[in-house]
Amino acid sequence: MGFCLIAICYGFARFAFGLFLPQIDGDLNLGPSLSGIISGGSFAGYCIAIVASAALTERFGARAVTVGAAVVAGVGMAGIARAPSPLILAAAVVVAGSSTGLASPPMAAAVAAAVRKSRQDLTNTVINSGTSAGVALSGPIALAIAGQWRLAFGAFAAVAVVLAIAAAVSLPASRGGEGAGGLPPMSGPVMRLISASFLMGAASTALWSFGGQLVSQHLGWGPTGTGILWTCIGAGGIAGAWAGTLVTRLGLDRVHRAFLGLMAASIVALGSGIASPALALVSGALFGAAYVMLTGVYLVWGIHALPARPATGLMVGFLTIAVGQTAGAPVFGLLMAGPGAEPAALCFAALALLAAGFRARSVVTAAPA
């Protein structure tokens, strides 16, 4: 259930906008700067929603908030499908993006209540990898309907409604921990998590928001090529299901640094125009693997830093990723419209590498005060 919810909210309601952006731009004449602002608005809606979701989960429980997330996703995607103008589109994209913020904290609370402790990291990261399944599915859907983005978002909205009904029937009502309420303590692990996740989130917008336009510009790809790229991104992201296992075996910091390096390399390859078609698809798969693995890393980091409040622990890392994306998308759009795609890609790859300087240290075994 949790895996499906994340697939719908992240893969369809949030990240499919970047997949269909070239067609949406062609129909509504957005331009790169406005596209970046709209993408940033989606991430801003996520920021507000994830803070609200953590508080609502601790007060009302996982089931109620999960149902609300699916409903909001359906409303937002229906709005995208019907949008007659850039203004209405922007509002609908913000609503759809907000559903992802609502979805994640109740999943952490439900896992804390229903799964034995030794398997919680693995379960949380498997649920989190639902993002990649949604992205991978959105690519073939785009291919099958030949770039008809309104039809695609209408179908996605219908699936979200079905999922809301399923969540109401199947999820526990757990509130996910004692000591709920108020801001989390700003300990060393929490502050380092905030710094790293902000930089990674900003860097990721290079491909989440502009990947379709980059391959269209450098390789001349239309909807078919972009759809294949999105499928590769999603397929690569399935590796994120093993984030919990890799962290246990290799340590959080090693996994963190390795996948930030992969993210930076994929941004350079796709954004600088040096990639051949085959290398572009490989780079997309590496980006998907890196992004979902890193969100799994930050999920584990946050939950272990605040073990009594799993919904809030998850919220801290995921909120800061979205704050970085809110800031990053408009900046990348402006750089792409000004200096060009290549300088923008190099700058955003550098942000990913900079995030590697922040270490979790021993947070997974014992969160220091």
Side-chain angles (χ1 to χ4, degrees), residues 239-327:
W242 285 274
T245 300
L246 285 180
V247 166
T248 300
R249 293 182 179 178
L250 303 177
L252 193 150
D253 287 323
R254 289 180 181 176
V255 176
H256 186 219
R257 290 193 296 267
F259 283 91
L260 283 168
L262 282 180
M263 174 175 283
S266 63
I267 292 171
V268 170
L270 284 170
S272 64
I274 63 174
S276 64
L279 181 57
L281 297 179
V282 171
S283 298
L286 290 177
F287 173 79
Y291 182 85
V292 178
M293 185 67 70
L294 289 166
T295 58
V297 164
Y298 298 139
L299 185 157
V300 172
W301 189 339
I303 289 176
H304 282 272
L306 297 169
R309 301 176 64 186
T312 297
L314 179 148
M315 178 271 290
V316 170
F318 280 29
L319 168 64
T320 316
I321 291 171
V323 172
Q325 289 168 328
T326 302

Side-chain angles (χ1 to χ4, degrees), residues 81-252:
R82 299 288 296 171
S85 67
L87 181 61
I88 301 300
L89 175 71
V93 168
V94 170
V95 172
S98 298
S99 71
T100 53
L102 293 173
S104 293
M107 290 298 97
V111 169
V115 178
R116 69 177 184 269
K117 193 168 184 63
S118 63
R119 294 188 60 81
Q120 286 180 8
D121 287 346
L122 175 61
T123 303
N124 275 313
T125 53
V126 168
I127 290 172
N128 183 60
S129 70
T131 298
S132 59
V135 172
L137 284 172
S138 65
I141 290 170
L143 294 175
I145 62 176
Q148 296 296 314
W149 59 274
R150 293 187 187 274
L151 177 60
F153 278 103
F156 296 161
V159 174
V161 172
V162 173
L163 192 60
I165 298 169
V169 172
S170 63
L171 280 183
S174 168
R175 297 180 184 179
E178 301 299 326
L183 293 173
M186 292 293 107
S187 62
V190 171
M191 292 303 297
R192 291 192 294 275
L193 168 61
I194 288 171
S195 300
S197 55
F198 174 85
L199 291 168
M200 189 282 280
S204 73
T205 59
L207 298 191
W208 279 134
S209 295
F210 293 95
Q213 289 185 314
L214 289 172
V215 295
S216 175
Q217 176 177 317
H218 292 310
L219 297 173
W221 286 2
T224 299
T226 305
I228 295 172
L229 173 66
W230 236 248
T231 301
C232 290
I233 291 174
I238 294 171
W242 285 274
T245 300
L246 285 180
V247 166
T248 300
R249 293 182 179 178
L250 303 177
L252 193 150

